[in-house]
Structures are given as structure tokens and as C-alpha cells.
Amino acid sequence: FVRCFVVDTARWLCFSLLNNNTSYGRSRRTNMIPSATYSLQCFFVCVITAVFADERKMARDQAKPFYLRDIQIGSTTLPITPVTAIIMILSLFMLLRGATSGTKSTATASHILLDGDDAEKRLTDMKKEIKQDYNKFKNLAKMHSKCPSGKSAGGKLGKFKPGMMVPPFDKAIFAKESKVGEVIGPVQTNFGWHLIWIEERELVE
């Protein structure tokens, strides 16, 4: 009903305005002063057009699914939809998770990598030879390791966090029973067989 009333009133005023404008055009040649009725009709056309546009916007908003409408709390309407709110919450969660990821366990380790059918046996013999001597470990890595780190840095892999290495290797290093400063292995991965030496490690529960 309101919409019909607004439309009919706007049409009537526009029609009257056009008629008045024609009369005004004729009178302009005589006195160049617009009538008060013409100015008043212009004002009402602007007001009704604005009201009608606002009503159309409200109708469009009501036609949207609830999750695409602005959130309304009592008489207050927030300029944000439920979908946007959920995205913001998830983004905040991911940012906080990334900010706290620095508290994970870390380790610094070296390894000797061999492949082939006799790799496990050869590494077992090396382990007996190395015992607790890290210098022997580094020398054997330079002489025998198939990993590029062996030739250049005595098997050093640097510092890393859980999940950065292949699972069997990762598990061997971050297991509580694996001791720092001792040879671990042989450990098999998809690259071959490894002897591992943990130089430093910080376990965070």
C-alpha cells in the first residue's frame, strides 16, 4: 500500500511539475520569476523520490538470506554480515595460531645418509665406530653420506621444527627417549637409511 501511494504521488507531482514548468516557461518570458507552487512541487518530488529509494533498498535487504544481511542487535544495526563476522573470526584465529607457532619444539641435528641393500648394516658398523665422538660422526658424513650436506658441512641440517622433516626422521629426533649428543639410528625413510646426531634440542609440551 505504501509503495503504491508513493508511486502514485510521485507520478502526480511529476505530471503537475511538467505542466507547471510549461506555464513557467511561458511566464518566464514575461517576469522571469518561478512560482511558489513550482518550487514546492520540486521539493516534494525530491523527498518522495528519496523515501521511495530508501524503501526499495530496505526491500532488497529483506530479500537477502539472513547470513548476508547486516547484523541487528535490538534497535542497533551493525554494518557487518554474519558471513563477514565468521571470516574475521577465522582470520584472527589463524593469525593467533601463526603468532604462537614460534613456541614449538626445535632441534639442531646432523645425519649420515646411505642407500642400497647394505645401507643399514654399514650404518650399524659406523655407529659402533663413532660411539660418542661427534668429530668421527662428521668425518664419516663427509666421506660416505649421500646427502649434499655431508660433503659440505659434515652432515649438518641446521635448526628445524617438528613437521619440517620426513615423518620417520622427525619422529626419531623429537622422541623423548632420543638423547642429545648421541648417535640415533639407523632410521629408514624414503631417501634411504640415516644415522642421526642431535646437537641441540628444545622440547615444548
Side-chain angles (χ1 to χ4, degrees):
F1 172 76
V2 174
R3 185 177 298 176
C4 292
F5 172 76
V6 172
V7 172
D8 291 342
T9 304
R11 286 175 177 170
W12 176 80
L13 284 175
C14 289
F15 177 75
S16 300
L17 178 60
L18 289 172
N19 287 341
N20 226 26
N21 193 27
T22 304
S23 300
Y24 164 62
R26 289 195 298 268
S27 65
R28 188 178 179 183
R29 289 191 292 269
T30 58
N31 52 22
M32 303 296 291
I33 301 175
S35 65
T37 304
Y38 172 73
S39 300
L40 189 60
Q41 287 177 341
C42 284
F43 171 75
F44 276 115
V45 166
C46 292
V47 171
I48 292 174
T49 302
V51 171
F52 185 54
D54 188 59
E55 187 190 353
R56 289 182 62 187
K57 182 179 180 299
M58 290 177 61
R60 286 197 302 269
D61 291 342
Q62 290 297 324
K64 293 179 181 178
F66 77 93
Y67 51 84
L68 294 179
R69 300 178 200 165
D70 290 345
I71 297 173
Q72 190 165 1
I73 303 174
S75 59
T76 305
T77 301
L78 303 178
I80 185 173
T81 65
V83 170
T84 305
I86 292 172
I87 292 173
M88 290 176 64
I89 292 170
L90 289 175
S91 300
L92 181 61
F93 173 76
M94 295 301 292
L95 285 173
L96 290 174
R97 185 178 180 183
T100 57
S101 62
T103 61
K104 285 185 177 180
S105 304
T106 58
T108 304
S110 302
H111 77 138
I112 301 172
L113 171 65
L114 296 181
D115 56 10
D117 296 335
D118 62 341
E120 184 179 10
K121 182 181 183 305
R122 289 172 61 197
L123 286 175
T124 301
D125 294 338
M126 287 183 192
K127 185 176 182 178
K128 293 176 182 178
E129 181 183 349
I130 293 167
K131 296 181 180 177
Q132 307 301 321
D133 191 338
Y134 182 48
N135 288 325
K136 282 187 178 180
F137 184 96
K138 290 191 294 183
N139 290 333
L140 288 172
K142 289 178 181 178
M143 289 188 293
H144 302 288
S145 183
K146 300 297 182 181
C147 179
S149 65
K151 304 294 182 184
S152 60
K156 274 185 173 290
L157 295 170
K159 190 174 184 178
F160 50 90
K161 298 178 182 180
M164 295 179 67
M165 300 295 178
V166 290
F169 194 95
D170 198 77
K171 183 178 179 181
I173 288 178
F174 290 101
K176 290 182 180 179
E177 56 269 21
S178 298
K179 296 180 180 179
V180 176
E182 292 186 4
V183 184
I184 302 168
V187 176
Q188 187 178 25
T189 70
N190 55 322
F191 294 103
W193 288 88
H194 308 256
L195 281 184
I196 304 169
W197 186 286
I198 303 175
E199 300 168 45
E200 296 178 356
R201 184 180 62 190
E202 182 179 357
L203 295 177
V204 179
E205 297 295 335

